[in-house]
Amino acid sequence: MQQTDADLVFKALGDPTRRKLLDLLYEKNGQTLGQLCEHLAMARQSVTQHLGILETANLVSTVWRGREKLHFINPVPLHEVYERWVRKFEHQRLSLLYDIKKELEGE
């Protein structure tokens, strides 16, 4: 069975270390492996493996600047997951909350 892009994104997001890496890149985009490792209590090799999974899911892209490899967050796959899996449920929930608000306020 072939994994879809969404499968890869969900797999990548399923691990707390990878979510932490995305948080770190959100705070400061374009960090090196060494900079990212400063915030994690694990070996560089382990962080590299996590970054590889994020890259496979297209959640992180890299750019070489001289001898440094910089890591950048790519929000597009997250937006696609939001559009496919979150947004359609949000409308119904917000409409329900609006109806409850109107009823409680006696409108």
Side-chain angles (χ1 to χ4, degrees), residues 3-14:
Q3 288 188 320
T4 66
D5 292 343
D7 292 333
L8 295 172
V9 170
F10 281 113
K11 176 185 175 184
L13 294 176

Side-chain angles (χ1 to χ4, degrees), residues 7 21 27-28 43 45-46 61 63 65 68 73 85:
D7 292 333
L21 285 165
E27 291 170 16
K28 182 181 179 230
Q45 183 178 5
S46 297
S61 61
V63 174
R65 185 181 67 195
E68 291 184 318
I73 192 168
W85 295 99

Side-chain angles (χ1 to χ4, degrees), residues 78-95:
L78 292 173
H79 181 72
E80 290 170 352
V81 166
Y82 170 78
E83 287 293 324
R84 169 68 175 92
W85 295 99
V86 179
R87 187 173 186 199
K88 66 182 176 183
F89 299 107
E90 210 173 59
H91 176 73
Q92 182 181 8
R93 180 180 61 88
L94 292 174
S95 295

Side-chain angles (χ1 to χ4, degrees), residues 34-86:
Q35 290 171 317
L36 293 167
C37 287
E38 290 174 8
H39 304 281
L40 300 168
M42 61 177 52
R44 288 173 64 94
Q45 183 178 5
S46 297
V47 176
T48 300
Q49 290 174 341
H50 285 292
L51 286 169
I53 292 169
L54 290 170
E55 285 182 56
T56 300
N58 200 27
L59 289 165
V60 169
S61 61
T62 59
V63 174
W64 284 94
R65 185 181 67 195
R67 292 177 20 182
E68 291 184 318
K69 184 178 182 182
L70 303 178
H71 300 83
F72 293 89
I73 192 168
N74 178 13
V76 174
L78 292 173
H79 181 72
E80 290 170 352
V81 166
Y82 170 78
E83 287 293 324
R84 169 68 175 92
W85 295 99
V86 179

